Amino acid sequence: MPSSLDFQNNLPMNHGLSGGAVQSEFGALPEWNLTDLYPSMESEAFKNDLAKAEGECKALAEAYRGKLDALARGDNPAETLGAAIKRYEAVEDLLGRLMSFAGLIYAGDTTDPVRAKFYGDTQERLTAASSELLFFGLELNRIEDAVMDKAMGAEPLAHYRPWIEDLRKDKPYQLEDTIEKLFHEKSVTGRSAWNRLFDETIASLRFTVRGEELAIEPTLNKMQDPDESVRKDASDALAKTFKDNLRTFTLITNTLAKDKEISDRWRGFEDVADSRHLANRVEREVVEALVSAVREAYPRLSHRYYTLKSKWFGKDKLDHWDRNAPLPKVEQRTIAWDEAKDTVLSAYSAFSPRMADIAQRFFDENWIDAPTRPGKAPGAFAHPTVPSAHPYVLLNYQGKPRDVMTLAHELGHGVHQVLAAPNGALMAPTPLTLAETASVFGEMLTFRRLLDQTKDKVQRKAMLAAKVEDMLNTVVRQIAFYSFERKVHLERRNGELTADKLCELWMSVQDESLGPSVRLGPGYETFWSYIPHFIHSPFYVYAYAFGDCLVNSLYGIYERSNEGFVDRYFALLSAGGTKHYSELLAPFGLNARDPSFWQIGLSMIERLIGELEAMEKEA
């Protein structure tokens, strides 16, 4: 049977735009229907909305610039200021719709020059247009607290209280209007340009595995092949190509780290990660407690598990290409798309029919793009777009059990985004501290359902091992990533980092986190270079560990007493960005400020490793 790549070469030119499906060895894989946003890149609807957005940004600035404080002190501030924010929100929704369409088009094939130009041109025009709106938040934050509090006492302004109070947390780090505008406009030729260079470089890389030239996703997929020689060859191919491109990745990393340092210095952030903590609306000490708890748990988690796995492989140490390998002598199933779909939907339905109904729409209405294609963005994501539209999910489905978990993960995000959308463009976005809640919970539901249905001891062991590995990748690996980023950004303050120094920093955190039972061989030192989070969202990664530990705690509560849990869970997701995470966790009796909180989540991983050790003794 031909590989999925053979089918991809025959895709129509409009793939990833108007929906449909592509035949593959995994069945008919859906492609998303972006016409829900706009008919095409050349459509009059897109051109008209782009012109409308530019006009609305200027009109809003002409109507309100320099006047918000006066409105807040006027005769009917709740009405007049409320109307201004409502108009601002409508413009934000339109800008988001346009940029989402361009971004999703580009993600469908980042190597297509037509799409790249469309994305770049759209980004430039929207950045220029939205610079007219920068005054809005800045002026709102200059209104005295007492004046604003009084104005927010009545509708329609009261509706926006959560957004206004959240916005005011940024106040200490705001700059003068002209400087903010300069930062904003130069982002197109600064950070955004380097992000795009990284994306296009990664998408264009080719890795030669046994005479076959592959893109990054299918090459990484071979790192999970049952045949160790295939895994090693894939690892060597990755290392060779990464090494050949280290000069570019080193320059991108140095430039973006310096760019961030300049921004942080001007805004007055003390720690290299403080801007991310502010964006996440989480306190530095809470993140430090999480990081400390996970690092202290390395011996009980990753070190302990990889020692066990090395015994299964008959080795004193696992080679780095064995880390995510399937267990030896366990039949590896290729999972068809329809089976993956049914598995996730049935798991969601068992928890809540409402949750399954929302997820079903992603399949029925072509909100998913699943095939692996040359040039397509690697990995997976769920893009919320804007509340006036709906989310989209991107996958690179290759029939592995982990791909089923990825589907469950991204659909969790999608459900969360649908539920939060009624809060509107300003309050639907969720801070990263809670953004991974529904996704990781969706994974857990799917895993538990599959595990309950599996009676064969060998398959059950393989499933438990795969889940433990996923959790280690989500918690231990992401905290190691965070530690690496901290080292990079702190070192960068002393001058540029060489490629060798970046590789050295990478190996130091990997060795610490993976432990003595994993051999990090030649070539692995370059593997920092392809991680997109380091480029697009510095210090994003701890949100995964935050979310996993949080979900482990939530799931434990659900297992012990699920009465009323579903309603409380949907209330959490539906809140979007209207409440602080501490307020949303309170109904579950959870407090992330409590040092013992993180141990609850970490203990679940320990428990699963203990189950595997017990199975080993029984055997």
Side-chain angles (χ1 to χ4, degrees), residues 90-117:
V91 178
E92 286 287 345
D93 190 279
L94 181 57
L95 292 169
R97 175 182 284 264
L98 290 160
M99 200 63 236
S100 294
F101 179 70
L104 293 172
I105 283 282
Y106 177 62
D109 186 353
T110 60
T111 60
D112 177 8
V114 175
R115 293 179 183 229
K117 174 177 168 52

Side-chain angles (χ1 to χ4, degrees), residues 45-121:
F46 182 85
K47 294 174 185 176
N48 291 340
D49 269 2
L50 186 54
K52 178 183 176 182
E54 290 171 326
E56 279 292 298
C57 288
K58 289 180 180 178
L60 193 138
E62 289 171 2
Y64 295 111
R65 182 182 281 132
K67 301 173 184 176
L68 296 185
D69 187 73
L71 291 180
R73 297 173 187 275
D75 294 336
N76 190 1
E79 184 66 40
T80 55
L81 198 54
I85 295 178
K86 186 174 183 179
R87 184 173 172 184
Y88 172 79
E89 182 176 41
V91 178
E92 286 287 345
D93 190 279
L94 181 57
L95 292 169
R97 175 182 284 264
L98 290 160
M99 200 63 236
S100 294
F101 179 70
L104 293 172
I105 283 282
Y106 177 62
D109 186 353
T110 60
T111 60
D112 177 8
V114 175
R115 293 179 183 229
K117 174 177 168 52
F118 176 73
Y119 174 73
D121 288 349

Side-chain angles (χ1 to χ4, degrees), residues 35-54:
T35 61
D36 288 356
L37 295 172
Y38 294 101
S40 70
M41 289 183 279
E42 303 80 18
S43 69
E44 290 301 313
F46 182 85
K47 294 174 185 176
N48 291 340
D49 269 2
L50 186 54
K52 178 183 176 182
E54 290 171 326

